[in-house]
Amino acid sequence: MLRQFLSKLPRKSGKSDSPELTGSTSCTTAGSSPQPHRSNSLNLGSGRPCAPKRTSSAVFPASVVAGIEPLLPFKDVPNSEKMNLFVSKVSLCCVTFDFTDPTKNLIEKDVKRQTLLELLDFVSGSVRFSEPAILAMCRMCAVNLFRVFPPNYRSVVSNGGENDDEEPMFDPAWPHLQIVYDLLVKFITSSCLDAKVAKKYIDHSFILRLLDLFDSEDPRERDCLKTILHRVYGKFMVHRPFIRKAISNIFYRFVFDIERHNGIAELLEIFGSIISGFALPLKEEHKIFLWRVLIPLHKPKSLGVYFQQLSYCVSQFIEKEPKLCSTVIRGLLKYWPITNSQKELMFLGELEEILEAINMVEFQKVMVPLFWRIGCCINSFHFQVAERALFFWNNDQIVNLIAHNRHVILPIILPALEKNAQNHWNHAVLNLTINVRKMFMEMDDQLFISCHIHFKEEEAKVSILAEKRKEAWKQLENAASLKPIAGNTAVLVTPLATPIAY
Amino acid sequence: MSTVEAPLYPIAVLIDELKNDDIQLRLDSIRRLSTIARALGEERTRSELIPFLSENNDDDDEVLLAMAEELGVFIPYVGGVEHAHVLLTPLETLCTVEETCVRDKAVESLCKIGSQMRENDLIEWFTPLVKRLAAGEWFTARVSACGLFHIAYPSAPETLKTELRSIYGQLCQDDMPMVRRSAASNLWKFAGTVESAHLKADIMQMFEDLTQDDQDTVRLLAVEGCAALGKLLEPQDCAARILPVIVTFSQDKSWRVRYMVANQLYELCEAVGPEPIRTDLLPAYVRLLRDNEAEVRIAAAGKVTKFCQILSPELAIQHILPCVKELSLDSSQHVRAALASVVMGMAPVLGKDATIEQLLPIFLSLLKDEFPDVRLNIISKLDQVNQVIGIDLLSQSLLPAIVELAEDRHWRVRLAIIEYIPLLANQLGVGFFDDKLGGLCMQWLQDKVYSIRDAAANNLKRLAEEFGPDWAMQHIIPQVLEIANDSHYLHRMTLLRAISLLGPVLGSEITRSKLLPVVVNASKDRVPNIKFNVAKVLQSLISVVDQSVVEKTIRPCLVELSEDPDVDVRYFAVQGLQSIDQVTMSS
């Protein structure tokens, strides 16, 4: 029996032993990827029949394949040999094809596809994976999946700025990639995979390169990656801190450096469930993550793409630890968008959600800057922003908070209301404003009247204040011009010149 | 004025302003920090203002950015270089904030200040600051630290130097990729200040570590500085230590890395000397020219001329020229455009024979390229083109290309070609120009895009300058003046614009006899926009013609316009009259 399927092994095995793989897969990253040491004696299919030609760029590893032949089906070998056959089949799938040309290697491509499907079926079974099998699987996934993406032509090719088609670029090899992804998911989640052994191969560099793939433009691929990373996080306890750190690094780079990454939403989704699993009381490390990573993630222009996931993460934190509310609100105020109305709407939405969960003490900590900002939103010329801010008064929980602290809030918000009532261009906003004003009047007539009087006084003073400010600066400038600086004024012209001290 | 004597507290004014809710006011006051400092005087600036700023840096990033910038030029206000160190404290805090722009600006200002500080002060104040930042708990501080070593290092005593090198080495292996990236991109700056023995040992070790980083982005930045680093080394060291890394990187799996190599390769050549170029860098370069990824080919193609200049003609012909041929037929238009922008420079390198035989066909095919940018890039190097292939051949192949570009769908392309017309005219000479291009120049005056009409008018002016008034009288003026009868008011407006530009060039006599009558006639147009433009043009012609003409022709016309029913027409007419009065008064 054994001989029978040995004979079906790729014939080239002897010949193409030496140059294989290294060319097409050897990773650019130093010492990374689970590259095999060719020591395992059990590796039946030691001849991986792939003869790499040249390192091709990016997505399409262009190995020229002389031909691969199907191996025996699993059902035809005794249980004792199944793991060996598994390794052989996995090794067979290390061959990669050029999918840019759909007419090339049709038969071989199909053989590989069939083999992948067989493997998929087998992995769902209940045979315990041997170490060589794990190694072979990780290597096969690395060879197939870990690619460098091609340049993003949507941003490069401007074509006179008229080319706006948002069609993402899909890897033509997807039909194979998808099965490999499925295979990896099944493999990692399989109860037959011993995490203690597998962690040697699914190691830090494997994880880093998995994370690199999240920048893929293909949402299907990112979806697969999300599932896989999630499972890896679940299964490999030892890697958890590393995974959290590595994802944070991606976020940092995204926020502070490049502002471009395709997989932020997916990574945040994973974090959402990680956060919901945090034990109480929250560790300092996790709170730092909230403050240093999640809050700054509100800054990039592309917030809209991952806002839902981000706001879920934030709400998970608040649910775990309500005392974080004021911290989060302060953060939102810090990154409040000034010119982007769409983002402003998102911020207001998130704010409302937090305010629904906030307690009185936390609320009182931030209400002054918060309502100053809400006042600005109420005055926004973008009617949606103004409307959204005024809708806060439709929320009973928020109105309750406001009513309790009306002595602080009304003086802040009244100028904004009055300004709108006088001249907001949008009718809906105008009506809402008048309603809110009425609410305050009904809430506390006395207070409203005294605030209103105060407001009128202040309004009258505005121009005087501006005048005063101008005057103060004028005097300052006057005083400054009388006191020439020690060096000489030449230093002002060339700041780098050394001033000549008297 | 009686209150002027009331005591004024500059700091109080600033504090008051910085508390304002309106960010614009806060920004304005930070921008006027120097005024406050001068009002305070040096001593109080040091003892009050700077400490205040050091403590009050919890503002919007925009305000902090302004503060970081202002402080960079603040040395004079604190009493000169001997007190410069007081500025370090507020800037140190700014080096640790989250926003990248603020940090970068703070580092820039620190470098500015540090480069002026006295040696002892650097050791006493600056170096400790660098060490504190490098040991910072949060990565932002460590990122900033990397950009300051090259200031601190030169004046440090030996032991401190050793320490600084070792700290930088640690930063190169920092846990956070953000820090390693900063260390990689600042390495060449630091290397420039390090003694050559340590350069070869310590710095090269750091370089090698960074080029083997497990993050793509770190390696990329290490490559970016490799040419600058190479130039610091002896050629043989550069060849031994940097060259192998680059040759490996030129075959990296990541196109970004290869792209970076393509950008750096030429400069690296300058650092290694001729022999390694031939054996190592040339093959690497040829590989990059034939890279699978268009981005890489674009970067490589843009350097083709420079590269040929450092090679012997034989090598260039043997190795580079075949690639250039391939690139001229590249499937990516951007590659062809990059090639087109430099390819003409190869002619002097290759010599006449090789040029006519090999380069000319390439050049001609690029000139007929279907992508306008490619053709444009060739045409923009017209002077070089002319020298190479001679006017006859040039005009034959050039003309169809120009005519086509002149009618291109994209107005920016049309604009670009208009801007080359005076150069073309200069190269081709009057006769040729009249035959072929004169018509086009008129056609543009009636383009449907304003910028084109405007550029066309400007073009006429430059042509008139080039060929002189007589030529203009014969070839431009008659056609231009005909536009006065055009039914489209925008075209008539273009005429006015052209006249205002041509007047000064053609001189007083022609303006009076030919141009002015047309303008005066236009003052009776039915469109108010034309009329107030007439007023504007008349105003601009005051200085061109004689005083008598102003009084006889321009003034009556403006007076009439100043009674127009349209408010704008009246406004500009009155303005014109005022400037006549001014001229009269001053003369």
Side-chain angles (χ1 to χ4, degrees), chain A residues 24-30 54-58 146-153 156-159 162 208-209 245 249 252-253 256-257 260 288 291-292 296 299 334-335 338 372 469 471-473 475-477 479-481 483-487 489 491-492 495-499 501, chain B residues 3-4 6 8 10 13 17 20-22 25 29 32 35-36 38-42 60 62 73 75-77 79-82 98-100 103 112 115-116 138-139 175-178 181 212-217 219 251-256 258 291-295 333-334 409-410:
Chain A
S24 63
T25 66
S26 80
C27 355
T28 55
T29 34
R54 55 177 170 171
T55 32
S56 107
S57 80
F146 297 161
R147 301 149 293 146
V148 179
F149 296 112
N152 181 348
Y153 282 107
V156 178
V157 182
S158 53
N159 215 359
E162 286 156 26
L208 272 182
R209 300 182 67 205
K245 204 175 72 181
N249 282 339
Y252 287 136
R253 182 161 141 79
F256 297 115
D257 257 8
R260 220 181 41 223
I288 288 176
W291 181 242
R292 296 284 201 190
K299 195 175 71 156
K334 181 173 175 207
Y335 290 108
I338 296 171
W372 183 81
R469 173 175 299 123
E471 188 58 35
W473 278 107
Q475 286 187 37
L476 263 182
E477 255 149 42
S481 65
K483 280 197 203 172
I485 44 166
T489 36
V491 288
L492 285 177
L496 281 173
T498 321
Chain B
T3 54
V4 170
L8 181 71
V13 174
E17 295 278 83
N20 202 297
D21 286 335
D22 185 348
L25 283 176
S29 52
R32 290 151 102 176
T35 306
I36 294 173
R38 286 178 70 180
L40 278 171
E42 298 158 6
D60 273 21
E62 219 175 329
V73 292
I75 290 184
Y77 306 112
V81 278
E82 61 264 44
E98 259 162 16
E99 174 55 47
T100 319
R103 272 186 278 130
K112 258 189 211 165
S115 59
Q116 297 172 68
W138 191 235
F139 76 88
D175 199 33
M176 299 278 288
M178 300 288 285
R181 271 196 286 279
Q212 286 163 26
D213 199 280
D214 61 358
Q215 294 267 329
D216 228 33
T217 51
R219 290 181 294 126
Q251 303 172 63
D252 198 287
K253 208 171 85 170
S254 158
W255 67 271
R256 284 195 178 82
R258 298 198 306 275
D291 199 277
N292 279 352
E293 197 55 70
E295 288 299 310
Q333 57 199 25
H334 301 286
R409 195 165 57 87
H410 299 290

Side-chain angles (χ1 to χ4, degrees), chain A residues 25 50 137 172 183 219 332 407 413 425 469 491:
Chain A
T25 66
C50 80
M137 254 310 277
L183 194 51
L332 289 181
H407 291 277
I413 220 79
W425 65 272
R469 173 175 299 123
V491 288

